[in-house]
Amino acid sequence: MGGEGLGWKDLEIGFVVTEPGNASSYKTGDWRSERPIRENERCIKCGLCYIYCPEACIHEDEEGYFEADLYYCKGCGICAHECPRSVISMVEEKEE
Amino acid sequence: MTKGKIVGLEGSFAVAEAVRMANTDVIAAYPITPQTHIVERLSEMVADGDLDADFICVESEHSAMSACVGASAAGARVFTCSAGQGLELMHEVLYIPSSMRLPVVAVAANRALSAPLSVWCDHSDVMALRDISWIQMFAENNQQAFDLTTCAYRIAEDKDVLFPTMVHIDGFYLSHVIEDMVLPEEEEVAGFIPDYEHPFVLDPDKPVSMGCYGPPFIYPETKKAQEVAFDNTRSKIQAIWDEFGEIFGRHYSPVESYKMDGARIALLTMGSCSETAMLAVDELREAGVDVGLIRLRLWRPFPFNELREAVKELDLLVVLDRAISFGMGGPVCSELKSALYNKREELKIVGFIGGLGGRDIQISEFKYMVTQAQEKVKAIERGEEVETEIIGVREGGGR
Amino acid sequence: MIEICIYGRGGQGAVTLAELVAHAAISEGKHAQSMPSFGPERRGAPVLAFLRVSETERIKIRAEVTEPDVLIVLDPGLLQVGDVVSRLKKDGTAVINTMKSHDEMKSELSVNKLATVDAMSIARAVLGLPIVNTTMLGAMIKATGIVKLESLEAPLEERFGKVATKNIEAMKEAYAGAVVS
Ligand code: SF4
Ligand code: SF4
């Protein structure tokens, strides 16, 4: 996450964080026990998965299909639940 | 020294005048007895165009402080006021501007807490706010209500302070009393409180994150930083009061004394009963009792050094609390004991509780406290247990 | 320092009376303090207000007046409620709104100095309202001389705006009509 080594003298007044958007350096991908996989043949490119993802980690590729960034994807399964075409299914993460 | 003009002003209106002269940008407040006249007067000023501020009509005190936090984070000069139950409803949010170092200014018209329902004055509401990390001070009369509110802006907004600041005025005893006071020239007050700039404000061109999440790996560091900064405000508070004194001719310090020369006994008070206590000291001095009066002006940060200095020559300190810390006694008394622990073994401290829920405190009560405290010291020396006495409380039991 | 208790009922303006006199005294360069006997206002319920005026010394005491030098009673019915008169100082002055004759009131109350006026009739005639506080100002000033009659004009105007004139008239009528002995 960053900041673990900071002492109290290093903090800005009122614990203000001066680097906006630094939450993007926070890896939520390691919370995941299931990952979303897609069968894009059925995808109608409606973008609901993109809208519903609470991590905002789904992006659109050049062909207009959607893909999750696994650095952030926490495996919540919301995209799979919301997809009207059952494109997405959640599969257990394998031990590496 | 400044002229100003002598006016008859209600304590609430004196506060409103200070808020107006400080050119406050945003006021968010919810009316509650006995603070109501402050809010009413301010909303009138805004409606009449006498004060160019946004008056946010909120639906509760919780919302009032939330709106203050937002406005202050955007860099506005912000004011609110409340009392009793209102401060309690606001309580959750009170910790936010202090932790975020937002210089909100507030006035509390001190009131008892329910149940039973009481709109009258005591310090139960103040004592519930001890740990909110706001600078807190007590006014003894309407002049001080004006002066200290004016100073509160300067103190809160000082770049070496940046903590919210609260002025306590006793409900009814100041909020509803009209008395003569000096209202300074507007330009002079404006000169004393220049515009301020917070190092961090909500600004789309210079984005920052405020009020972030604080996981265990960083939370203690944020609190240490807050405690150190809060402790360090003491010298600034005095410096600003000194500057105020030079301009306006009225001087304030964290601990103020009255007739302490040669005193072996001292009463200790906070707020509107202090001048009544002075009259008791006058009468006791006349009767040959070596007694003086210590008034705690600054309540937070606690003025340890000034207090220790004030009690140096004393044998007996008699403390009046206007609240009960249930199961612990008088909250001010127990704080004083802890502040003076190991400092002067021979000093005896005897606490009384009085003025609860608006029960009047007359000169005679202070004289009673001084006499009675000396008896209690004898009992303590005999090794007896001495309870904290609630002055004038009826025993009953005959039914 | 002169200490005054004003007894009235919620809505009769006891607190306002105390405030008006405080403003008048301060405008004369005196020290003054008006203090309501605190509580939520309820129309008709007995209400007590306090007033202190001091020529030279700042007023320090912030507590209720327990032994007044002057007692103002806006509603004669209150003489029956509690110990309204008993706390008045021995050499004190009572100013009472009553329809009874001065002599009758004098025989009923054992006070050093008594001022009576039928403020209710004056208020009804001049203001068209049964609110006697401003009328009673006249009687109070005649009995005590605590401030000048003229000093009340500015505070009355500040407080009542357009209808101040009538209130000033009622005050002056009571000043003329009050019997003091
Ligand atoms: S599983 Fe959850 S976090 Fe991952 S892409 Fe789907 S909605 Fe986003
Ligand atoms: S919700 Fe399903 S159908 Fe819609 S874009 Fe996402 S994967 Fe395709």
Side-chain angles (χ1 to χ4, degrees):
Chain A
M1 176 186 288
E4 274 87 350
L6 290 178
W8 67 267
K9 291 178 180 169
D10 305 320
L11 303 180
E12 294 288 2
I13 196 161
F15 190 40
V16 159
V17 175
T18 51
E19 186 197 332
N22 74 350
S24 64
S25 65
Y26 188 38
K27 186 178 183 187
T28 43
D30 53 11
W31 301 6
R32 198 174 55 242
S33 60
E34 290 185 324
R35 77 166 64 199
I37 55 160
R38 296 170 173 262
E39 291 168 71
N40 273 346
E41 312 73 80
R42 287 204 296 280
C43 176
I44 55 170
K45 303 178 179 173
C46 66
L48 280 177
C49 53
Y50 166 86
I51 290 166
Y52 275 99
C53 172
E55 278 300 322
C57 73
I58 298 179
H59 56 270
E60 196 179 351
D61 67 15
E62 274 153 25
E63 291 170 61
Y65 292 115
F66 292 86
E67 195 62 54
D69 182 338
L70 295 179
Y71 184 81
Y72 301 112
C73 171
K74 59 189 181 188
C76 67
I78 288 174
C79 53
H81 184 81
E82 294 298 333
C83 173
R85 302 278 295 161
S86 306
V87 172
I88 308 168
S89 45
M90 302 301 291
V91 301
E92 204 146 329
E93 284 287 348
K94 302 234 167 41
E95 284 177 45
E96 310 241 315
Chain B
M1 206 160 60
T2 169
K3 313 134 278 278
K5 59 174 192 290
I6 293 171
V7 294
L9 217 51
E10 194 184 75
S12 295
F13 284 23
V15 168
E17 278 302 324
V19 174
R20 184 179 69 78
M21 289 192 191
N23 214 351
T24 304
D25 299 314
V26 175
I27 299 158
Y30 191 82
I32 178 168
T33 304
Q35 149 271 33
T36 320
H37 291 183
I38 306 175
V39 194
E40 284 176 355
R41 187 81 190 97
L42 286 171
S43 66
E44 226 167 59
M45 287 171 168
V46 173
D48 292 348
D50 295 331
L51 170 58
D52 181 20
D54 283 310
F55 190 101
I56 308 175
C57 290
V58 284
E59 70 284 87
S60 76
E61 289 82 359
H62 191 280
S63 312
M65 188 46 64
S66 302
C68 286
V69 168
S72 186
R77 179 170 285 166
V78 181
F79 177 81
T80 190
C81 47
S82 194
Q85 304 302 128
L87 284 169
E88 291 305 299
L89 182 52
M90 188 182 272
H91 195 91
E92 179 197 352
V93 195
L94 282 166
Y95 292 79
I96 314 285
S98 47
S99 307
M100 287 170 62
R101 307 286 302 277
L102 300 172
V104 175
V105 171
V107 167
N110 307 136
R111 163 179 161 172
L113 296 176
S114 295
L117 175 64
S118 169
V119 299
W120 290 270
C121 173
D122 75 23
H123 290 169
S124 303
D125 56 357
V126 186
M127 294 305 143
L129 305 185
R130 276 182 287 174
D131 299 334
I132 60 174
S133 175
W134 283 52
I135 294 167
Q136 299 183 60
M137 56 194 69
F138 275 88
E140 298 164 338
N141 53 43
N142 293 359
Q143 182 73 62
Q144 294 177 5
F146 177 90
D147 292 353
L148 295 178
T149 306
T150 300
C151 291
Y153 285 94
R154 265 297 297 280
I155 292 169
E157 293 171 359
D158 189 280
K159 67 171 177 30
D160 297 326
V161 176
L162 293 174
F163 274 100
T165 301
M166 189 177 288
V167 179
H168 292 291
I169 68 168
D170 283 344
F172 293 111
Y173 285 101
L174 298 190
S175 67
H176 284 56
V177 161
I178 292 178
E179 61 184 7
D180 43 296
M181 57 171 276
V182 178
L183 197 60
E185 304 284 344
E186 216 163 317
E187 304 77 64
E188 214 143 16
V189 175
F192 181 70
I193 318 174
D195 289 345
Y196 94 104
E197 253 178 59
H198 198 287
F200 300 109
V201 292
L202 294 176
D203 176 358
D205 295 329
K206 238 176 76 192
V208 293
S209 299
M210 291 182 179
C212 291
Y213 190 50
F217 77 78
I218 199 73
Y219 188 86
E221 281 70 23
T222 68
K223 293 297 122 178
K224 169 77 180 176
Q226 183 177 342
E227 169 71 342
V228 171
F230 197 60
D231 268 336
N232 287 342
T233 61
R234 290 186 176 86
S235 59
K236 269 288 165 176
I237 295 168
Q238 184 63 69
I240 289 164
W241 277 342
D242 287 346
E243 193 187 325
F244 181 91
E246 258 166 51
I247 302 172
F248 298 96
R250 289 179 297 276
H251 300 270
Y252 298 104
S253 350
V255 173
E256 292 176 24
S257 55
Y258 178 76
K259 295 205 174 163
M260 284 295 285
D261 282 349
R264 309 300 302 171
I265 306 172
L267 280 160
L268 187 138
T269 55
M270 298 154 90
S272 66
C273 67
S274 296
E275 292 193 296
T276 309
M278 288 181 194
L279 297 170
V281 166
D282 291 348
E283 290 183 16
L284 287 164
R285 280 276 183 174
E286 207 120 296
V289 185
D290 295 334
V291 64
L293 173 68
I294 297 172
R295 300 117 69 202
L296 271 192
R297 162 93 47 226
L298 185 65
W299 174 229
R300 284 294 187 274
F302 193 86
F304 290 102
N305 293 337
E306 293 85 348
L307 178 76
R308 286 167 190 157
E309 187 60 33
V311 303
K312 237 173 36 197
E313 309 287 330
L314 289 180
D315 299 328
L316 172 61
L317 185 61
V318 187
V319 182
L320 175 68
D321 259 291
R322 297 188 83 161
I324 305 179
S325 173
F326 294 95
M328 184 66 191
V332 178
C333 189
S334 51
E335 291 213 356
L336 291 171
K337 283 178 182 165
S338 104
L340 296 170
Y341 184 69
N342 276 346
K343 294 292 163 183
R344 282 203 53 225
E345 307 279 322
E346 40 326 338
L347 176 66
K348 294 282 182 294
I349 303 176
V350 174
F352 289 86
I353 289 167
L356 293 182
R359 184 72 65 87
D360 210 31
I361 309 174
Q362 296 278 346
I363 296 172
S364 52
E365 260 94 50
F366 287 110
K367 289 164 72 175
Y368 169 85
M369 281 168 59
V370 170
T371 320
Q372 207 55 26
Q374 296 175 73
E375 292 306 313
K376 287 178 197 278
V377 168
K378 286 181 201 150
I380 293 167
E381 278 164 356
R382 287 194 301 269
E384 294 166 25
E385 278 298 319
V386 173
E387 285 180 18
T388 306
E389 180 180 337
I390 302 181
I391 305 163
V393 79
R394 289 183 299 277
E395 289 294 329
R399 282 209 292 176
Chain C
M1 181 171 65
I2 298 174
E3 295 189 302
I4 302 173
C5 285
I6 302 145
Y7 286 87
R9 293 187 187 278
Q12 287 182 330
V15 175
T16 306
L17 187 152
E19 293 180 358
L20 288 165
V21 179
H23 281 299
I26 292 165
S27 75
E28 289 180 1
K30 294 173 181 159
H31 299 283
Q33 178 197 68
S34 76
M35 187 187 261
S37 93
F38 318 128
E41 292 86 17
R42 294 149 303 163
R43 191 161 279 265
V47 163
L48 176 57
F50 308 107
L51 172 65
R52 293 184 170 96
V53 176
S54 161
E55 294 274 343
T56 48
E57 284 201 29
R58 255 200 75 234
I59 300 164
K60 284 179 159 180
I61 187 158
R62 266 177 204 75
E64 296 179 356
V65 174
T66 49
E67 281 179 46
D69 301 287
V70 180
L71 178 72
I72 318 278
V73 182
L74 300 186
D75 186 322
L78 292 169
L79 287 170
Q80 268 76 56
V81 184
D83 53 354
V84 168
V85 182
S86 62
R87 288 181 155 184
L88 183 66
K89 280 198 188 128
K90 281 204 174 59
D91 57 353
T93 303
V95 184
I96 293 170
N97 164 30
T98 177
M99 286 164 86
K100 290 183 183 168
S101 75
H102 185 79
D103 291 342
E104 196 181 347
M105 195 46 90
K106 188 98 194 180
S107 67
E108 281 176 25
L109 300 178
S110 53
V111 294
N112 168 54
K113 188 174 175 186
L114 177 72
T116 55
V117 66
D118 181 1
M120 191 57 98
S121 301
I122 297 175
R124 278 194 203 279
V126 180
L127 305 172
L129 285 171
I131 299 175
V132 296
N133 60 342
T134 53
T135 308
M136 285 295 282
L137 283 170
M140 171 189 182
I141 290 162
K142 187 169 189 175
T144 63
I146 194 162
V147 290
K148 296 195 198 78
L149 211 47
E150 309 85 80
S151 304
L152 275 155
E153 291 182 10
L156 280 164
E157 270 153 25
E158 169 90 22
R159 182 79 182 210
F160 294 106
K162 279 206 295 278
V163 293
T165 329
K166 285 197 168 172
N167 283 282
I168 293 168
E169 197 186 319
M171 171 179 77
K172 287 185 174 162
E173 200 162 306
Y175 184 86
V179 184
V180 186
S181 74

